[in-house]
Amino acid sequence: MKRVSGSEIIKIFSDVAGDITIVVDGESFLLHKFPLVSRSGKIRKMVADAKDSNSSKLELHNIPGGPQTFELAVKFCYGMNFEITTANVASLRCAAEYLEMTEDYQDENLIVRTEVYLNEVVVQSLEKSVEVLSICEMLPPVAEEVGIVNRCVEAVAVNACKEQLVSGLSRLDCNGESDELKSGCLEWWIEDLSALGIDYYQRVVCAMGRAGIRPDSITASLMHYAQASLKGIGKFQIWNPARMKSNRTMAENDQRTILETLVSLLPNEKSSSIPQNFLFGMLRMGIMVDASIACKLELERRIAFRLEMVSLDDLLIPSIQTGDSLFDVDTVHRILINFLQRIEDEDNDDCGYESEGLGSPGHGSLLKVGRLIDAYLAEIAPDPYLSLQKFIAMLEILPDYSRVIDDGLYRAIDIYLKAHPMLTEHECKKLCKFIDCQKLSQEASNHAAQNDRLPVQMAVRVLYFEQLRLQNALSGSSGDGFLSQRMSSGVPSAAMSPRDNYASLRRENRELKLEISRMRVRLSELEKEQMFMKQGMIDKSGNGKTFLTSISKGIGRIGIFNGPTGGKRQKSSRKSRGDGKTGRSRRYSVS
């Protein structure tokens, strides 16, 4: 049988009236049966069934791509020329599947033609694969069934690997160049992936991980996707938690899904450095949209992994609970628990003594976190809604060796006492027991000795240890006696098991190095005091002042026994320093 060409079909039917009407989503097409039934199995079956009812009108429901795609398929049946592009190939492939335009009815039918374009053009390009994927999101499940989605997902991953090799060479070329030039060497596809919906984006990122894409590149893509997608929630919702659960909008539910998915896609923290401010931003958003508990706990665990790199502003997370404190203290408390667990695990993994105690990297991180938490406590202490129980929980969570000096801790407690004047004497004592008077600097001790907000017992302890310090200074001793006591008590018992013996040695090692750190701080203070006393002796030598007079003046400067005059002068100096601050600043104790 002689095959009829497309041009001949057009010529034959150009002057022939249509003999069949096909309705697609309410839009009618007056067509001819022959070119349609010669290529479409579905229309052939429908025409055969319609002969029994003598009907010349057919209806096609839910055809992929709608009337526009059906019109292109009709042009193909008539042999008319049109271009297959990345914008229409997915819908044409799905429509061809719907219309059953297979090789059983005509050679090089529409299914084959679209498959050739997909394999030879689309999957060879990362950009075209992403474009086709974004179109598939608007198509029915048939796009998944014919394999378009899987092929495009794998094509994106493979082409991204190729781009990674090219960008690696580009980075080598960028060495020594400006930052602007280096930024141009970054993966350009990161922005393209942000056009995908979260489901397809998740599949692409997983495929990239399997293909060997660098974790840092995946992290950069996740951050860009989050910044582009997690929008639309007003700041007012932070202070209106009542609507967080009762009147949640569809957009907020979508954002919760996006956030939870992005968190599940984050690379391992050991293989990729994720910025802490990004993790805190995700955590804040997770709290706002009421993300799953597992999602928020994962973010808290990741933050704790590098807590020493966190800034104070990151920790100041607003609370959304009604009647609660202004800041989310519970979240910070959980982060600290994760951090301490990490430090403990690292210590347990170490086998030798050289990496133990205060000289280990873990303890360096602990000291940084100790200073950070002291500053955090000073920030939240003025909150009138902060309960004593939560404040104490934050005070007692860090071990003693996380602080070389307790000045920051003392300042935070003093601020809390000033902001909560209704505390009982028992509660004040309960707070002050966390302050180690031996670890207060001379300036803090002077302030504490004159602080009428502290219990009397606290002031007595401060005066006692200041007297010991003064005696040591006058006698020329470089220590305070505590180091020798701890050394003498640090001999492990022979009845202890080897494991307990090792743990005891580790504890003693930490304590000894902590004492050394304290002694260095106090030695620095004594050197400053000695220089001051020598200067006083030189200044007063011409007026007949003796060495004892200089010493008495040094004692007066300590301020332990100062009268009201000394206290007033100290108040005025602190007030003058405080008046120079503007805006929100770090809070320091004011007597």
Side-chain angles (χ1 to χ4, degrees), residues 89-108:
V89 65
S91 56
L92 273 175
R93 176 63 182 89
C94 295
E97 188 74 17
Y98 176 87
L99 295 172
E100 301 175 17
M101 301 178 71
T102 65
E103 297 300 287
D104 296 336
Y105 303 100
Q106 191 74 268
D107 292 338
E108 295 186 0

Side-chain angles (χ1 to χ4, degrees), residues 552-573:
S552 64
K553 181 171 182 175
I555 296 174
R557 279 196 300 274
I558 296 177
I560 299 177
F561 305 105
N562 277 359
T565 304
K568 291 180 181 178
R569 183 167 56 252
Q570 190 174 8
K571 289 182 181 180
S572 62
S573 64

Side-chain angles (χ1 to χ4, degrees), residues 14-265:
S14 60
D15 298 327
V16 178
D19 55 359
I20 186 173
T21 300
I22 297 180
V23 181
V24 179
D25 295 340
E27 187 171 340
S28 299
F29 293 85
L30 182 59
L31 304 169
H32 305 87
K33 292 180 182 178
F34 176 74
L36 299 178
V37 299
S38 64
R39 287 187 178 272
S40 172
K42 184 177 183 66
I43 293 180
R44 178 179 294 189
K45 295 173 185 176
M46 294 177 69
V47 168
D49 295 339
K51 285 183 178 179
D52 300 335
S53 59
N54 297 322
S55 174
S56 61
K57 185 176 181 179
L58 303 177
E59 288 191 19
L60 297 178
H61 301 284
N62 301 321
I63 184 171
Q68 295 82 5
T69 302
F70 177 73
E71 184 176 355
L72 292 178
V74 169
K75 287 183 178 181
F76 180 82
C77 293
Y78 277 81
M80 299 173 66
N81 291 328
F82 69 93
E83 184 180 3
I84 298 178
T85 65
T86 54
N88 61 29
V89 65
S91 56
L92 273 175
R93 176 63 182 89
C94 295
E97 188 74 17
Y98 176 87
L99 295 172
E100 301 175 17
M101 301 178 71
T102 65
E103 297 300 287
D104 296 336
Y105 303 100
Q106 191 74 268
D107 292 338
E108 295 186 0
N109 213 340
L110 188 55
I111 289 181
V112 171
R113 296 287 293 274
T114 52
E115 284 290 333
V116 169
Y117 186 86
L118 284 169
N119 295 329
E120 295 183 359
V121 179
V122 174
V123 299
Q124 304 302 322
S125 166
L126 190 152
E127 187 177 7
K128 288 182 171 62
S129 299
V130 173
E131 184 179 351
V132 171
L133 265 181
S134 62
I135 294 173
C136 287
E137 293 176 333
M138 299 177 289
L139 295 175
V142 66
E144 188 79 58
E145 296 169 4
V146 299
I148 301 177
V149 176
N150 283 336
R151 277 181 287 175
C152 289
V153 166
E154 294 300 325
V156 171
V158 171
N159 286 291
C161 279
K162 297 177 183 178
E163 291 289 339
Q164 179 174 273
L165 295 176
V166 175
S167 64
L169 297 175
S170 300
R171 284 192 179 91
L172 292 177
D173 295 337
C174 288
N175 283 342
E177 302 292 342
S178 64
D179 293 338
E180 293 182 1
L181 183 58
K182 288 182 180 180
S183 64
C185 298
L186 298 177
E187 286 80 2
W188 55 267
W189 48 262
I190 288 177
E191 186 173 354
D192 287 2
L193 293 185
S194 298
L196 297 175
I198 188 61
D199 293 334
Y200 284 174
Y201 178 78
Q202 180 182 19
R203 293 172 64 172
V204 168
V205 171
C206 292
M208 285 182 167
R210 294 191 300 268
I213 297 295
R214 285 188 296 263
D216 286 341
S217 297
I218 293 179
T219 299
S221 177
L222 291 170
M223 292 175 60
H224 190 277
Y225 193 94
Q227 292 168 358
S229 303
L230 297 177
K231 298 178 180 178
I233 294 185
K235 294 182 179 180
F236 67 91
Q237 292 185 10
I238 297 178
W239 308 111
N240 288 275
R243 67 181 298 272
M244 296 299 291
K245 293 184 179 180
S246 59
N247 298 320
R248 187 174 302 281
T249 64
M250 184 65 68
E252 290 169 349
N253 287 328
D254 292 342
Q255 291 192 325
R256 178 175 59 180
T257 302
I258 292 173
L259 185 139
E260 292 174 355
T261 303
L262 292 179
V263 171
S264 68
L265 294 174

Side-chain angles (χ1 to χ4, degrees), residues 358 399-404 406 435-440 465 480-492 504-519 522:
L358 301 185
D400 177 70
Y401 55 86
S402 64
R403 298 179 177 93
V404 176
D406 274 7
I435 303 174
D436 187 350
C437 297
Q438 305 173 46
K439 294 167 65 176
L440 291 178
F465 287 112
D480 52 16
F482 299 106
L483 178 60
S484 59
Q485 295 176 14
R486 298 195 181 194
M487 291 178 62
S488 63
S489 63
V491 180
S504 176
L505 289 174
R506 286 178 56 192
R507 285 195 301 270
E508 295 298 333
N509 195 17
R510 283 197 295 263
E511 292 177 358
L512 290 175
K513 290 188 177 182
L514 181 61
E515 286 295 341
I516 293 173
S517 299
R518 293 176 189 166
M519 289 171 60
R522 292 182 181 177

Side-chain angles (χ1 to χ4, degrees), residues 32 73 86 116 138 157 202 284 288 316 319 403 414 535 590:
H32 305 87
T86 54
V116 169
M138 299 177 289
Q202 180 182 19
R284 284 190 178 95
M288 290 170 62
L316 298 175
S319 176
R403 298 179 177 93
D414 186 36
Q535 186 64 37
V590 180

